[in-house]
Amino acid sequence: MGQPSYQASNALIYLTYGAFLATGVWIAWVWRGQSKKDFLANNRTQKAIPLALNFIASALGSGILFTYPEIATIAGVQGLVVYALSSSLPLLAFGFLGPIIRRKCPEGFVLTEWTRQRYGVIAALYLSILTLITLFIYMVAELSALQQIINALTGLNGLWAVIAQCIVTTIYTSLGGFRISFMTDNIQGTMVVGLILIGVITIGVETKVDRNLVDSSNLLNASMLGWQLIYILPVAIGTNVFFISGFWLRTFASKTDRDLRIGTSIATVTVAIILTLVGVSGLLAAWTGVWPGDPPQAGSIAFFLLLEQLPAWVVGIVIVMTVSLSTAAFDSLQSAMVSTGSNDLFRNRLNLWWIRLAVVLLIFPVAVVALKSPSILQIYLVSDLVSASSIPVLVIGLSRKCYWWRGFEVVVGGLGGLLTVFIFGTIYYGNAKDGANLLVLEQSLYVDDWSAFGAFVAAPIGGLLWGFGAFTMRISVQWMLAKVRGHRFDAFDRPPAADPSFFTGPRERSFDENEPEPVTVAKTPSLRDAAAQVASSPPLASLDPPNYDDLTPAAATAPKTPPPPALHPRIAVLLGVSTSWHVPLLLARALSTAPAMWWGLRCAFTFLGDLLLSDGMGDPGGQWTVEKRFRVTEVFLAILWRKAKMNPSVRLPRTFLISLPIVSCPGGEPPTSRLTDSLWQGD
């Protein structure tokens, strides 16, 4: 390969990063006075062309240099075309579903906010967790791909490029947030389109195709895998884009619905062309004889095997293109994850500096996992399978006619879809271990059997079946409760329209951290003030009797100071602690219960294990060791004692004491029988 020199490779990599850092910091300085609202989102401000460039930059990434040439070498032209269209056409969904969701949730800027308004807090948190995990996976995949590409193109240690990218994107993203990511993506998107066109033209001119290899490769013919991918890839990628918050941030940022539709249409066509051209490098590698090579090489490196035949300046263009692709995708994922976490977990109440700190802290686990990550394609497929089970039951709520669909069905359906994949895998392979491995697609997507196809059929269909099963169970329970309690059955009543301010605060409220929180708390007087008030008060005898005539209806109905809401710790409110510390204090208090939960669960599992997993289970005469009797008795008595302490009305019978000697009961009688008998005998 005409590989650039050591000095030239370093110069290309780090000068490109330096240019992006300088641009990002300069834009952050220009917008240094922006509010927290602009840091997290930028609703209804962008025109069609900037939106198109942003969608292009966010939809691509350095991983495309591995995945698309690989599928071309495996499934040929058929697989490549299906993959390119499956990756680009879902962008149109944001152009058509985006306006619907914006009308239903005008105050939001991510899909999870609409989910919270439509389905409630539990379903919103469920979707938020899946979204954050998906974004984390994509960030890991991007850094892992970057490291491998730098190693292949230059022979340098890709670790330093990964570190440089993390530092550069973290600096300007923490300073400017989503607005900086949007502005830099415009520049990076333009660079990517231009560099890809130059690289493709150069490769087309410099590459010599052997026509005999075209026919013998069979890459122009259809295959069973190619036909399977016609279903698998649209389902996998089409549902997974719903988890990419960066796309939703740009959807809500569009100035008008028309701008959004134009922008997504341009991005769809451009992305489809770019992905197809990149994937053709895999076909060219096979038709020029450089792939599979001797010894045979993996199809994922077909693009780099082709570059070995080209001049060094072509490789230099690809290096700059790779850095631009990776940086554009990575900063979009960073800002999307921070905006999603701030909105879903903290309801946009965190101080802006806490959010900036989160951007910095987030990068460490991502970088560590990326350095040890497995196959790039497998990372994507895991998140695709999760989305295929969750999104179909979620989008039912977009229809006005399905107002009866609730968050309970969404959560049960999403988890049930994954359980259905496990059941399918267990039946297909004949054992539970391989069924569990199918959940992570351990054998990859490109296999000669129907396992991957069956998994992506089982996920959405199983999710829908579990969802409708949960719906039937919920309706049945509500109907029975209505009959028992004697009230009207209202499960099919249309719920009232939710006020967006219930979830995001009043419309006129600013996200600026300098604005006081809408909590009114009476000021607690100090000891000195209380003493001065007592000293200046008149003697008790001189106090006039109260005048009850002053208690007018207006005075009696005067508004009282509202108590602090549940998200504000009472002690912190009374002590006058700043509201920016309330959420961290609540989290610390929640974490303080972790040791108790840990040891409690250990005791509970020990208790259940001794009862259910004994060798003599089901045999009344089974032998119990003395240690096992002690453990079971101790835990059971602790449960009863705790129940009595929590509820004073519970009175333990006198025969309860008789059960204490069961640890030495003759004949190895299981203690549960003696305990049960003594407790049911009463006084």
Side-chain angles (χ1 to χ4, degrees), residues 226-298:
W227 292 113
Q228 290 179 353
L229 293 178
I230 293 177
Y231 168 80
I232 293 176
L233 292 177
V235 171
I237 302 174
T239 56
N240 193 251
V241 295
F242 283 80
F243 284 163
I244 309 301
S245 298
F247 290 143
W248 291 109
L249 285 168
R250 285 151 179 81
T251 298
F252 281 92
S254 62
K255 195 168 187 177
T256 63
D257 294 344
R258 182 174 179 271
D259 289 321
L260 179 60
R261 293 191 180 97
I262 294 175
T264 53
S265 299
I266 295 174
T268 298
V269 175
T270 306
V271 169
I273 295 174
I274 289 175
L275 295 180
T276 303
L277 293 176
V278 171
V280 166
S281 63
L283 301 176
L284 294 177
W287 294 341
T288 55
V290 300
W291 180 87
D294 187 21
Q297 301 292 328

Side-chain angles (χ1 to χ4, degrees), residues 392-431:
V393 291
L394 178 75
V395 297
I396 292 177
L398 287 174
S399 174
R400 293 182 179 180
K401 298 180 180 179
C402 298
Y403 62 88
W404 35 264
W405 195 253
R406 298 287 187 267
F408 176 69
E409 289 88 86
V410 174
V411 177
V412 173
L415 298 177
L418 296 177
L419 179 60
T420 306
V421 174
F422 169 73
I423 295 173
F424 164 77
T426 302
I427 297 173
Y428 184 83
Y429 289 113
N431 62 86

Side-chain angles (χ1 to χ4, degrees), residues 348-361:
N348 298 320
R349 295 179 181 272
L350 283 182
N351 185 281
L352 183 56
W353 288 101
W354 283 104
I355 299 175
R356 286 171 170 160
L357 179 62
V359 177
V360 177
L361 296 179

Side-chain angles (χ1 to χ4, degrees), residues 77-98:
V77 174
Q78 182 187 28
L80 173 60
V81 172
V82 171
Y83 201 178
L85 293 178
S86 300
S87 300
S88 57
L89 290 178
L91 296 179
L92 292 175
F94 296 97
F96 293 95
L97 294 180

Side-chain angles (χ1 to χ4, degrees), residues 412-663:
V412 173
L415 298 177
L418 296 177
L419 179 60
T420 306
V421 174
F422 169 73
I423 295 173
F424 164 77
T426 302
I427 297 173
Y428 184 83
Y429 289 113
N431 62 86
K433 181 180 179 181
D434 290 335
N437 290 335
L438 187 60
L439 288 171
V440 295
L441 294 169
E442 192 176 64
Q443 297 183 9
S444 185
L445 181 65
Y446 311 135
V447 291
D448 294 330
D449 56 21
W450 292 87
S451 58
F453 181 86
F456 280 98
V457 171
I461 294 180
L464 291 172
L465 292 177
W466 280 93
F468 280 101
F471 167 75
T472 303
M473 183 182 70
R474 177 177 62 83
I475 294 298
S476 301
V477 171
Q478 288 181 304
W479 181 83
M480 289 187 292
L481 290 177
K483 290 295 184 181
V484 171
R485 297 175 180 176
H487 58 71
R488 193 176 70 85
F489 177 64
D490 57 357
F492 289 102
D493 290 355
R494 186 181 294 272
D499 182 7
S501 64
F502 177 80
F503 304 102
T504 59
R507 293 181 65 91
E508 65 272 12
R509 181 186 171 194
S510 170
F511 282 94
D512 192 356
E513 68 275 10
N514 297 322
E515 182 184 355
E517 294 286 339
V519 179
T520 305
V521 181
K523 182 180 179 181
T524 304
S526 63
L527 293 177
R528 180 178 297 177
D529 296 337
Q533 183 178 0
V534 172
S536 60
S537 60
L540 184 61
S542 64
L543 291 177
D544 296 330
N547 184 6
Y548 293 99
D549 296 336
D550 293 338
L551 295 180
T552 60
T557 59
K560 298 180 180 179
T561 301
L567 284 179
H568 295 266
R570 298 180 180 178
I571 300 301
V573 171
L574 293 177
L575 294 178
V577 178
S578 173
T579 55
S580 61
W581 289 96
H582 288 184
V583 173
L585 287 173
L586 287 173
L587 291 177
R589 185 171 66 181
L591 290 175
S592 67
T593 63
M597 294 176 63
W598 168 253
W599 290 106
L601 287 174
R602 289 191 62 181
C603 293
F605 287 137
T606 301
F607 178 67
L608 293 176
D610 286 336
L611 285 179
L612 303 178
L613 302 179
S614 61
D615 296 335
M617 181 175 58
D619 182 10
Q623 295 294 327
W624 282 51
T625 63
V626 175
E627 292 80 3
K628 184 177 292 188
R629 295 171 186 168
F630 268 119
R631 289 197 299 269
V632 174
T633 303
E634 181 182 25
V635 174
F636 197 81
L637 294 180
I639 294 173
L640 291 179
W641 179 259
R642 183 59 182 166
K643 180 66 176 177
K645 293 290 288 183
M646 293 176 62
N647 188 359
S649 63
V650 176
R651 184 167 58 93
L652 296 177
R654 290 195 301 271
T655 53
F656 174 75
L657 298 176
I658 302 175
S659 64
L660 293 177
I662 67 170
V663 294

